[in-house]
Amino acid sequence: MSAQTRKEHRQVRRAAELRRAEAQRELHRFGRETRRAGKTSLILVRARLAELSARSLTKLAARLRGPS
């Protein structure tokens, strides 16, 4: 293999390695964003459930107290 061919091969390989590294970073970033969005959704769902539970308990307590 000539020096020119080796140089071209290194350049092509390096470009491929850079594209692969960029793809891995992008995949990692996407995974982080997905997990973060999932956690945010879970937090909102839990907050909503807690709110609904509190309303239900308030209504139940009012019914148990009877008419004022």
Side-chain angles (χ1 to χ4, degrees), residues 15-46:
E17 289 170 352
L18 290 173
R19 286 192 306 273
R20 179 176 173 259
E22 179 61 30
Q24 285 179 323
R25 282 191 296 274
E26 186 68 19
L27 181 62
H28 183 68
R29 185 185 61 77
F30 178 71
R32 267 195 332 265
E33 289 176 2
T34 302
R35 284 189 300 277
R36 190 176 303 134
K39 287 179 183 177
T40 301
S41 297
L42 184 60
I43 289 168
L44 293 174
V45 167
R46 285 180 178 168

